[in-house]
Amino acid sequence: QKEVEQNSGPLSVPEGAIASLNCTYSDRGSQSFFWYRQYSGKSPELIMSIYSNGDKEDGRFTAQLNKASQYVSLLIRDSQPSDSATYLCAVIGAGKSTFGDGTTLTVKP
Amino acid sequence: EAQVTQNPRYLITVTGKKLTVTCSQNMNHEYMSWYRQDPGLGLRQIYYSMNVEVTDKGDVPEGYKVSRKEKRNFPLILESPSPNQTSLYFCASSGWGNQPQHFGDGTRLSIL
Protein backbone atom coordinates (compact mmCIF):
# COMPACT_ATOMS: atom_id res chain seq x y z
CA GLN A 1 0.00 0.00 0.00
CA LYS A 2 1.34 3.42 -0.91
CA GLU A 3 1.83 5.91 1.88
CA VAL A 4 -0.13 8.60 0.05
CA GLU A 5 -2.78 7.64 -2.47
CA GLN A 6 -4.73 9.94 -4.73
CA ASN A 7 -7.84 9.14 -6.72
CA SER A 8 -6.84 7.81 -10.09
CA GLY A 9 -7.29 10.13 -13.00
CA PRO A 10 -7.50 11.62 -15.33
CA LEU A 11 -10.39 13.75 -14.15
CA SER A 12 -12.34 15.80 -16.65
CA VAL A 13 -14.91 18.44 -15.74
CA PRO A 14 -16.69 21.14 -17.75
CA GLU A 15 -15.83 24.77 -17.21
CA GLY A 16 -17.71 26.20 -14.23
CA ALA A 17 -18.15 22.83 -12.51
CA ILE A 18 -16.73 21.67 -9.19
CA ALA A 19 -13.66 19.45 -9.35
CA SER A 20 -13.10 17.12 -6.42
CA LEU A 21 -9.68 15.65 -5.69
CA ASN A 22 -9.08 13.12 -2.95
CA CYS A 23 -6.10 11.82 -1.03
CA THR A 24 -5.61 9.24 1.70
CA TYR A 25 -2.49 8.68 3.77
CA SER A 26 -1.26 5.84 5.95
CA ASP A 27 0.91 7.52 8.61
CA ARG A 28 -1.26 8.61 11.53
CA GLY A 29 1.60 10.75 12.81
CA SER A 30 1.43 13.03 9.78
CA GLN A 31 1.21 16.65 10.77
CA SER A 32 1.00 18.84 7.69
CA PHE A 33 -0.92 18.46 4.48
CA PHE A 34 -0.53 20.34 1.24
CA TRP A 35 -1.97 20.52 -2.24
CA TYR A 36 0.30 21.52 -5.09
CA ARG A 37 -0.53 22.23 -8.72
CA GLN A 38 1.96 21.22 -11.37
CA TYR A 39 1.82 22.18 -15.02
CA SER A 40 3.59 19.89 -17.45
CA GLY A 41 7.37 20.36 -17.26
CA LYS A 42 7.11 22.91 -14.46
CA SER A 43 7.79 22.78 -10.75
CA PRO A 44 5.03 22.15 -8.19
CA GLU A 45 3.29 25.28 -6.94
CA LEU A 46 1.61 25.41 -3.54
CA ILE A 47 -2.15 25.92 -3.63
CA MET A 48 -3.32 25.05 -0.14
CA SER A 49 -1.93 24.00 3.20
CA ILE A 50 -3.99 22.53 6.02
CA TYR A 51 -2.90 21.44 9.47
CA SER A 52 -6.04 20.76 11.51
CA ASN A 53 -9.31 18.95 10.97
CA GLY A 54 -12.03 20.75 9.09
CA ASP A 55 -12.29 22.95 6.03
CA LYS A 56 -10.03 25.73 4.83
CA GLU A 57 -11.14 28.01 2.05
CA ASP A 58 -9.04 30.25 -0.18
CA GLY A 59 -10.86 31.80 -3.11
CA ARG A 60 -12.17 29.03 -5.35
CA PHE A 61 -10.23 26.36 -3.45
CA THR A 62 -11.34 24.47 -0.36
CA ALA A 63 -9.19 21.91 1.42
CA GLN A 64 -10.76 19.43 3.83
CA LEU A 65 -8.88 17.35 6.38
CA ASN A 66 -10.15 14.42 8.43
CA LYS A 67 -7.32 12.95 10.49
CA ALA A 68 -9.49 10.19 11.95
CA SER A 69 -10.21 8.90 8.45
CA GLN A 70 -6.72 9.86 7.23
CA TYR A 71 -8.25 11.73 4.37
CA VAL A 72 -7.61 15.09 2.75
CA SER A 73 -9.43 16.56 -0.22
CA LEU A 74 -9.37 19.58 -2.48
CA LEU A 75 -12.44 21.13 -4.06
CA ILE A 76 -12.09 23.57 -6.93
CA ARG A 77 -15.23 25.60 -7.53
CA ASP A 78 -16.06 27.33 -10.81
CA SER A 79 -13.31 25.37 -12.55
CA GLN A 80 -11.46 27.22 -15.31
CA PRO A 81 -9.45 25.86 -18.25
CA SER A 82 -6.36 27.35 -16.57
CA ASP A 83 -6.93 24.90 -13.69
CA SER A 84 -6.01 22.06 -16.04
CA ALA A 85 -2.91 20.56 -14.45
CA THR A 86 -1.73 17.72 -12.25
CA TYR A 87 -2.58 18.11 -8.57
CA LEU A 88 -0.25 16.62 -6.00
CA CYS A 89 -1.17 15.78 -2.43
CA ALA A 90 1.77 16.04 0.00
CA VAL A 91 1.95 14.79 3.56
CA ILE A 92 4.70 15.72 6.00
CA GLY A 93 5.58 14.15 9.32
CA ALA A 94 8.83 14.34 11.30
CA GLY A 95 10.67 15.92 8.39
CA LYS A 96 9.85 13.24 5.88
CA SER A 97 7.81 14.40 2.95
CA THR A 98 5.67 12.06 0.85
CA PHE A 99 3.79 12.95 -2.29
CA GLY A 100 0.97 11.15 -4.01
CA ASP A 101 1.32 10.26 -7.67
CA GLY A 102 -0.95 13.12 -8.64
CA THR A 103 -4.33 13.47 -10.32
CA THR A 104 -4.48 15.08 -13.73
CA LEU A 105 -7.40 17.46 -14.11
CA THR A 106 -8.71 18.70 -17.46
CA VAL A 107 -11.28 21.49 -17.50
CA LYS A 108 -13.08 21.60 -20.82
CA PRO A 109 -14.37 24.96 -22.11
CA GLU B 1 13.02 37.73 -4.76
CA ALA B 2 12.59 34.60 -2.65
CA GLN B 3 13.72 31.63 -4.67
CA VAL B 4 15.30 28.20 -4.89
CA THR B 5 17.91 28.05 -7.63
CA GLN B 6 19.06 24.82 -9.24
CA ASN B 7 21.90 24.37 -11.71
CA PRO B 8 22.19 23.10 -14.31
CA ARG B 9 18.67 23.08 -15.70
CA TYR B 10 19.53 20.44 -18.28
CA LEU B 11 22.40 17.98 -18.48
CA ILE B 12 23.21 15.10 -20.77
CA THR B 13 26.11 12.99 -19.61
CA VAL B 14 27.49 9.46 -19.73
CA THR B 15 27.45 6.57 -17.32
CA GLY B 16 30.06 6.78 -14.58
CA LYS B 17 30.98 10.44 -14.93
CA LYS B 18 30.54 12.12 -11.54
CA LEU B 19 28.19 15.08 -11.50
CA THR B 20 26.85 17.58 -9.03
CA VAL B 21 23.56 19.44 -9.18
CA THR B 22 23.63 22.57 -7.07
CA CYS B 23 20.74 23.97 -5.08
CA SER B 24 20.69 27.29 -3.30
CA GLN B 25 17.93 29.13 -1.43
CA ASN B 26 17.82 32.74 -0.24
CA MET B 27 15.00 32.43 2.31
CA ASN B 28 17.10 31.32 5.30
CA HIS B 29 15.18 28.06 5.38
CA GLU B 30 16.25 25.28 7.71
CA TYR B 31 14.74 22.44 5.70
CA MET B 32 15.93 21.41 2.23
CA SER B 33 15.13 18.35 0.18
CA TRP B 34 15.79 16.65 -3.14
CA TYR B 35 13.19 14.80 -5.20
CA ARG B 36 13.13 12.95 -8.44
CA GLN B 37 10.05 12.77 -10.62
CA ASP B 38 9.45 9.99 -13.09
CA PRO B 39 6.36 9.34 -15.24
CA GLY B 40 3.81 7.31 -13.32
CA LEU B 41 5.86 7.38 -10.11
CA GLY B 42 5.22 10.87 -8.84
CA LEU B 43 7.67 12.85 -6.73
CA ARG B 44 9.96 10.68 -4.64
CA GLN B 45 12.17 12.07 -1.91
CA ILE B 46 15.88 11.28 -2.26
CA TYR B 47 17.44 13.04 0.74
CA TYR B 48 16.46 15.80 3.08
CA SER B 49 18.20 18.06 5.55
CA MET B 50 16.67 19.67 8.60
CA ASN B 51 19.64 21.95 9.23
CA VAL B 52 23.35 22.42 8.61
CA GLU B 53 25.29 19.16 8.91
CA VAL B 54 22.03 17.21 9.41
CA THR B 55 20.92 15.02 6.51
CA ASP B 56 18.72 11.96 6.24
CA LYS B 57 17.63 9.47 3.63
CA GLY B 58 14.32 9.73 1.87
CA ASP B 59 12.62 6.96 -0.05
CA VAL B 60 15.14 6.52 -2.90
CA PRO B 61 18.65 7.45 -1.67
CA GLU B 62 20.63 4.74 -3.47
CA GLY B 63 23.23 6.15 -5.84
CA TYR B 64 23.05 9.69 -4.46
CA LYS B 65 24.96 11.74 -1.91
CA VAL B 66 24.25 15.11 -0.37
CA SER B 67 25.95 17.53 1.94
CA ARG B 68 24.77 20.54 3.94
CA LYS B 69 27.79 22.58 4.92
CA GLU B 70 26.01 25.90 4.67
CA LYS B 71 22.40 26.73 5.37
CA ARG B 72 21.67 28.06 1.89
CA ASN B 73 23.22 25.24 -0.18
CA PHE B 74 22.27 21.60 -0.59
CA PRO B 75 24.08 19.96 -3.53
CA LEU B 76 23.08 16.58 -4.93
CA ILE B 77 26.00 14.39 -5.99
CA LEU B 78 25.89 11.42 -8.32
CA GLU B 79 29.24 9.70 -7.86
CA SER B 80 28.77 7.17 -10.65
CA PRO B 81 25.61 7.99 -12.58
CA SER B 82 23.70 5.23 -14.32
CA PRO B 83 20.92 5.36 -16.93
CA ASN B 84 18.25 4.56 -14.29
CA GLN B 85 19.02 7.94 -12.73
CA THR B 86 17.73 9.71 -15.82
CA SER B 87 14.95 11.82 -14.39
CA LEU B 88 13.61 15.26 -13.56
CA TYR B 89 15.06 16.47 -10.25
CA PHE B 90 13.65 19.11 -7.93
CA CYS B 91 15.19 20.81 -4.97
CA ALA B 92 12.88 22.33 -2.36
CA SER B 93 13.19 24.28 0.87
CA SER B 94 10.94 25.31 3.72
CA GLY B 95 11.05 26.94 7.10
CA TRP B 96 10.94 25.05 10.37
CA GLY B 97 7.87 23.22 11.62
CA ASN B 98 6.58 21.29 8.62
CA GLN B 99 5.98 24.39 6.53
CA PRO B 100 5.13 24.14 2.81
CA GLN B 101 8.05 23.70 0.49
CA HIS B 102 9.23 26.06 -2.20
CA PHE B 103 10.51 24.28 -5.28
CA GLY B 104 13.28 25.11 -7.71
CA ASP B 105 12.64 25.04 -11.45
CA GLY B 106 13.97 21.52 -11.84
CA THR B 107 16.96 19.84 -13.46
CA ARG B 108 16.45 17.40 -16.27
CA LEU B 109 19.22 14.81 -16.25
CA SER B 110 19.84 12.35 -19.06
CA ILE B 111 22.47 9.68 -18.45
CA LEU B 112 23.47 7.69 -21.50
Side-chain angles (χ1 to χ4, degrees):
Chain A
Q1 182 194 2
K2 286 194 169 185
E3 291 183 42
V4 177
E5 296 207 43
Q6 296 186 233
N7 50 325
S8 59
L11 177 64
S12 180
V13 301
E15 183 174 356
I18 295 174
S20 177
L21 306 164
N22 304 314
C23 175
T24 57
Y25 59 95
S26 60
D27 184 0
R28 285 195 172 274
S30 299
Q31 299 160 309
S32 306
F33 308 86
F34 307 101
W35 283 99
Y36 288 84
R37 176 175 62 199
Q38 186 177 27
Y39 295 112
S40 181
K42 301 295 186 182
S43 59
E45 170 194 10
L46 179 71
I47 297 176
M48 293 286 285
S49 55
I50 187 164
Y51 302 95
S52 54
N53 283 330
D55 295 358
K56 180 181 177 183
E57 188 174 316
D58 184 0
R60 296 186 295 113
F61 300 96
T62 299
Q64 299 173 316
L65 175 61
N66 183 325
K67 289 187 178 181
S69 300
Q70 296 174 247
Y71 173 90
V72 58
S73 68
L74 179 70
L75 295 177
I76 306 174
R77 290 182 300 281
D78 188 24
S79 295
Q80 301 297 309
S82 58
D83 294 327
S84 297
T86 296
Y87 290 79
L88 304 171
C89 172
V91 175
I92 297 179
K96 196 163 178 294
S97 184
T98 305
F99 284 75
D101 290 346
T103 301
T104 299
L105 171 67
T106 300
V107 180
K108 296 187 174 180
Chain B
E1 180 190 350
Q3 58 186 7
V4 178
T5 303
Q6 296 178 227
N7 280 297
R9 293 290 315 281
Y10 305 90
L11 179 63
I12 301 173
T13 187
V14 296
T15 299
K17 186 177 180 182
K18 181 180 178 180
L19 69 91
T20 299
V21 185
T22 63
C23 175
S24 179
Q25 51 93 5
N26 63 0
M27 294 167 279
N28 201 35
H29 283 165
E30 287 80 11
Y31 183 94
M32 297 186 74
S33 183
W34 276 103
Y35 300 88
R36 60 178 290 173
Q37 188 172 38
D38 303 288
L41 295 177
L43 271 169
R44 293 180 293 168
Q45 192 173 40
I46 302 171
Y47 271 95
Y48 63 95
S49 168
M50 299 181 84
N51 216 324
V52 176
E53 302 291 1
V54 179
T55 63
D56 211 341
K57 296 178 181 178
D59 294 318
V60 288
E62 295 78 19
Y64 304 95
K65 286 176 58 177
V66 294
S67 68
R68 187 94 182 270
K69 293 182 171 31
E70 305 166 283
K71 197 171 186 179
R72 62 182 291 129
N73 296 322
F74 190 45
L76 179 69
I77 302 158
L78 285 72
E79 294 268 0
S80 183
S82 62
N84 64 11
Q85 292 177 299
T86 292
S87 188
L88 178 59
Y89 291 84
F90 289 104
C91 179
S93 74
S94 68
W96 190 247
N98 296 327
Q99 294 300 304
Q101 295 175 64
H102 300 255
F103 283 81
D105 288 338
T107 296
R108 190 168 290 280
L109 283 183
S110 293
I111 300 162
L112 307 176

